Amino acid sequence: MKLKYLDKIKNPEYIRNLNENELLELCDELREYTIETITEIGGHLAPTLGVVEITVALHYVFNTPKDKLVWDVGHQGYAHKLLTGRFDQFPTIRQYEGLSGFLKRSESEYDVIGAGHASTSISAALGLAEARKQKNEDFRVGAIIGDGSMTGGLAYEAINNAGHLGKQLLVVLNDNEMSISPNVGAVSRYFTRLISNPIYNRVRNEFWDLTGKLPVASEKTRSLVKKIEESLKSLLVPGILFDELGFRYFGPIDGHDLKEVIKTLENIKDIQNPVLLHVITKKGKGMVSMNVDNQDYHNDAVKFHAVKPNGKIKPKDKLVSETKENAIPSFQDVFGKLVCEVGRNRKDTVCITAAMREGTGLVPYSKEFPDRYYDVGIAEGHGVTFASGLAAEGIRPIAAIYSTFLQRAYDHIVHDCAIQHLPVIFCMDRAGIAGEDGPTHHGALDIAYLRCIQDLIVTAPKNGNEFRSLLYTALNITDKPFTIRYPKTSSVEFNEQGQSELLPVGSWETCQKGTDVVILAVGPMVYTSIEASNRLKQKNISCEIINCRFIKPMDLSILESVKNRFNKIITIEEGVINGGFGDGVASWLLDKGFNGTLKRLGLPDQFVEHGPRDKILSILGLDVDGIENSIIELVTEKKDK
């Protein structure tokens, strides 16, 4: 497309010199360029299309980067990236060694706080505001949060604290689902203009000061004045909750009316108290149906939340294995089929997710069992404790939460679930490398953070069929929580008409006998190990391969046999090595006096950046080539000695 503005923007100062008509043209260009680029390369789309005008207005009114803007989650920040000097790099977004799909402090001085998890912006922005006071500096602070992120309790904890501290802080509530607001109309627009007008605020404050100087009746007078103002505002705008929490509430206004947004921001930017500006936007504006009464709008907004590449560009590093996987369902699809199967067989089961119905594969279940499906919003901690309450009354909850998001509910797993001996089943999606979403979404830590919790079972299926067996085994456990981790990839093997097998807790499976080295593999790494082993046969290296489907408890009988028969052992897991499965094996072997060589393969003690899953695994030495080389090094090292 032919550009008029974007390729000239090196920083937001450029747009502050544009007139109103030029700013409107810029918004259209931003939206069109984003759609064209992201549909070509893939990435988050609908979220950023809904905040184009807000983004332009904020950078136009606020003196960034001196003034600080904090974006919640970050996938609504693509327009922000384009306005802050990253136009040339934008086509690399979410690509290996390219721009991050989220905000990232190391990427730009305009990315004050990075985030891939939701509901964090207000807390972080409040910290910036208080740092301003501590350092006696002068700048404005704003947080932009979507209504979905307002389902997370952290946002309300921050609002409560901000209202108490009472310092300048702007919170822009981007309401894109019409879920907490009335229609935008002439009356509400007029009232917002009125209460955001500097003259109104000056008169209001002066009148307030005057009532405080009145004699005996001053307290009653002030009480009456406040009641009148609150009554009027509660009739016209839904802001009384925020007012009661210490925020000045303005809105709702049309978030796509650039002139209105700029005027309102100009009026409220210097109010020296916490302020909440409520804007109504359309997620996916410019690409999806804008008829909010039409079910197509909601469906399209979800559909275009993130899009895959349209195929015009062929990634240079696309591996053959990706095309092979297309015929086999992913672990996410398998999970969706299994919970529907379980739901038909057991009426005591329910499913819970935290705003990730589509991502976890729960769409079929939510439609077939709407009364047994719970989406708790972006509130993982609540979801886990809610599941514990259900389990306490004999219901069998299956909580489907991404590995990386379950980190947010850690205390709830320990305090409300494990200590209570409640049989909640955790199905942890995106365990291991999550691909282009990067370090905020890689499920790197779950093995390490779950292994240390007493009386909790940790498992990983090697394929979709074993997933079924582990799920039914979990339903057979009644006195402790059970976790199942699986990556965002093909399930390798899955028979939709297959039968489950109740697996003895802590049992491993010997997949292949060998004599030179033993591989203790977790999850689908079993198949990667088998492929590497087949290559090594040509080099006269014989590998025994164990499917370590139970990470905790471990199969001590097989471990004892391994210790006695091998002096070279390799553990392989798609999780951090420190504190992971390999560490568990190492500790046991040390206690038992093992004097051979143990090599642990897994994720390093550093955050892994974004990129195609296969490429990242290759770089980390967790693909077939990497495992083959590690085994050769181990065997050669021993022979050299």
Side-chain angles (χ1 to χ4, degrees), residues 66 68 128-129 131-139:
K66 179 183 178 183
K68 317 295 182 186
L128 296 171
R132 173 186 60 198
K133 184 191 80 169
Q134 294 291 333
K135 297 169 69 177
N136 196 29
E137 293 182 347
D138 181 24
F139 55 84

Side-chain angles (χ1 to χ4, degrees), residues 485-539:
R485 77 182 307 261
Y486 45 95
K488 183 184 179 183
T489 189
S490 165
S491 63
V492 189
E493 295 178 28
F494 181 63
N495 179 1
E496 199 161 339
Q497 307 305 320
Q499 298 296 312
S500 66
E501 174 189 358
L502 291 182
L503 302 172
V505 173
S507 65
W508 291 352
E509 172 193 35
T510 301
C511 299
Q512 178 178 294
K513 284 288 189 179
T515 56
D516 294 321
V517 61
V518 61
I519 302 172
L520 305 180
V522 171
M525 285 292 163
V526 168
Y527 291 95
T528 315
S529 301
I530 290 173
E531 194 170 342
S533 172
N534 290 336
R535 291 186 187 178
L536 289 167
K537 287 178 183 177
Q538 310 303 318
K539 299 176 182 178

Side-chain angles (χ1 to χ4, degrees), residues 183-397:
N183 291 327
V184 177
V187 174
S188 61
R189 283 201 302 270
Y190 168 77
F191 192 68
T192 296
R193 287 197 190 105
L194 172 66
I195 63 178
S196 68
N197 190 287
I199 297 175
Y200 165 84
N201 280 286
R202 186 168 67 248
V203 171
R204 175 187 182 277
N205 292 336
E206 289 177 357
F207 183 65
W208 187 255
D209 291 340
L210 177 62
T211 57
K213 295 175 182 177
L214 293 174
V216 183
S218 63
E219 187 174 332
K220 291 183 178 179
T221 303
R222 277 191 158 188
S223 177
L224 177 62
V225 169
K226 187 166 181 61
K227 284 182 179 178
I228 292 172
E229 182 186 33
E230 287 181 352
S231 296
L232 285 171
K233 290 175 75 175
S234 62
L235 284 172
L236 296 172
V237 293
I240 195 68
L241 168 65
F242 299 108
D243 274 356
E244 291 297 329
L245 289 169
F247 274 69
R248 297 289 308 282
Y249 174 90
F250 301 97
I253 64 172
D254 183 351
H256 299 301
D257 184 339
L258 182 63
K259 182 178 178 181
E260 184 78 14
V261 176
I262 288 176
K263 184 174 182 180
T264 304
L265 287 174
E266 289 283 9
N267 285 341
I268 67 177
K269 67 180 181 181
D270 289 319
I271 294 178
Q272 295 302 303
N273 302 101
V275 168
L276 186 135
L277 174 61
H278 185 176
V279 299
I280 305 295
T281 64
K282 304 296 189 298
K283 185 175 182 179
K285 179 175 171 59
M287 190 163 188
V288 305
S289 166
M290 288 299 104
N291 180 0
V292 295
D293 296 323
N294 189 332
Q295 187 62 35
D296 288 343
Y297 164 67
H298 299 284
N299 291 339
D300 286 350
V302 171
K303 176 182 176 182
F304 294 116
H305 175 81
V307 296
K308 294 181 179 179
N310 59 18
K312 290 182 180 179
I313 294 179
K314 302 296 182 184
K316 295 178 182 178
D317 46 19
K318 189 174 182 68
L319 302 182
V320 176
S321 60
E322 293 180 12
T323 57
K324 289 181 180 177
E325 291 177 356
N326 291 339
I328 302 168
S330 67
F331 274 104
Q332 291 69 39
D333 290 339
V334 167
F335 172 73
K337 295 176 187 296
L338 290 179
V339 289
C340 285
E341 178 184 308
V342 167
R344 297 180 200 115
N345 295 332
R346 293 192 53 156
K347 307 299 183 186
D348 62 341
T349 56
V350 300
C351 281
I352 301 167
T353 191
M356 285 295 168
R357 184 185 71 156
E358 286 76 20
T360 57
L362 278 173
V363 172
Y365 185 93
S366 68
K367 293 178 178 178
E368 186 172 349
F369 306 101
D371 294 336
R372 291 156 61 187
Y373 166 75
Y374 301 95
D375 185 341
V376 299
I378 303 174
E380 293 84 1
H382 160 65
V384 171
T385 302
F386 172 60
S388 297
L390 284 162
E393 284 299 306
I395 300 298
R396 298 307 309 272

